[in-house]
Amino acid sequence: MANASAKRTAAQNETALRNLKIWMLAAPFIALFIRFFFRSSLFPSRTSIFIHVLTFIPLFVLYTHLNSIGSPRRDPTTGALIGSGEDLNMSGVTEWCWDIIYVTWGCQIGSAALGEWFWWVYLCIPLFALYKIYSVFLKPYFFSKAPESASTEDETAQSMSKRQQKLKKRSDKGDPRVKRL
């Protein structure tokens, strides 16, 4: 039997996956609607069609990934919840999957409304990936300076706990309660 948090996660995942399915169909239709009614040309250029197809590949891969990890498993006979699936509101890779999906939909609709130049916004995805690689992997290991060491007394004071610092002060004063080694 599933607990309350698993049921809540399963309900949130079902809602998120349902909205994902709706928007996977709605975003291209909104783009076509905008093109048909608000732009002079119905059909995009060959370059834009190529970009649509090219960006649909990661969109579909991320959709199937989120669908596979987030779908709750239920008992077919009773309908009882067996597993809630992974939480689709997690930070990290799952959050980045959602971000890529949102940027792709935005670029589809934006290119239909504002022009083909709007696909340049899609470059924020690899730029963000490069930023993360630099800030998480390269900067700490290769580009960080060695910390400037203060006096050795300050270093030992920083490494000692408050209790150890208090005992050291008592010892320096000659307090008989502190054993000297």
Side-chain angles (χ1 to χ4, degrees), residues 140 143-151 155 158:
F143 299 113
S144 66
K145 295 180 182 176
E148 295 180 16
S149 61
S151 65
E155 288 179 7
Q158 289 176 355

Side-chain angles (χ1 to χ4, degrees), residues 58 61-63 65-66 69 86-102 125 128 132 137:
V61 168
L62 294 175
Y63 166 75
H65 171 69
L66 290 175
I69 68 167
E86 296 291 327
D87 186 10
L88 293 179
N89 293 326
M90 288 189 305
S91 61
V93 175
T94 306
E95 183 180 26
W96 297 337
C97 290
W98 286 108
D99 292 343
I100 293 170
I101 289 171
Y102 295 147
I125 295 170
F128 181 73
K132 279 302 209 184
F137 297 111

Side-chain angles (χ1 to χ4, degrees), residues 38-153:
F38 298 110
R39 302 271 314 258
S40 61
S41 65
L42 173 62
F43 297 105
S45 65
R46 289 183 185 194
T47 306
S48 182
I49 291 173
F50 176 72
I51 293 172
H52 271 279
V53 171
L54 190 65
T55 58
F56 182 75
I57 295 168
L59 187 66
F60 183 73
V61 168
L62 294 175
Y63 166 75
T64 54
H65 171 69
L66 290 175
N67 199 17
S68 67
I69 68 167
S71 295
R73 293 186 324 260
R74 298 190 180 274
D75 186 16
T77 56
T78 62
L81 186 65
I82 296 173
S84 63
E86 296 291 327
D87 186 10
L88 293 179
N89 293 326
M90 288 189 305
S91 61
V93 175
T94 306
E95 183 180 26
W96 297 337
C97 290
W98 286 108
D99 292 343
I100 293 170
I101 289 171
Y102 295 147
V103 169
T104 305
W105 290 338
C107 287
Q108 286 177 350
I109 295 171
S111 69
L114 302 173
E116 306 307 325
W117 63 269
F118 202 82
W119 281 107
W120 287 100
V121 173
Y122 207 71
L123 286 176
C124 71
I125 295 170
L127 290 176
F128 181 73
L130 289 174
Y131 166 74
K132 279 302 209 184
I133 289 169
Y134 172 75
S135 64
V136 173
F137 297 111
L138 297 177
K139 186 179 178 184
Y141 297 112
F142 298 113
F143 299 113
S144 66
K145 295 180 182 176
E148 295 180 16
S149 61
S151 65
T152 56
E153 189 173 307

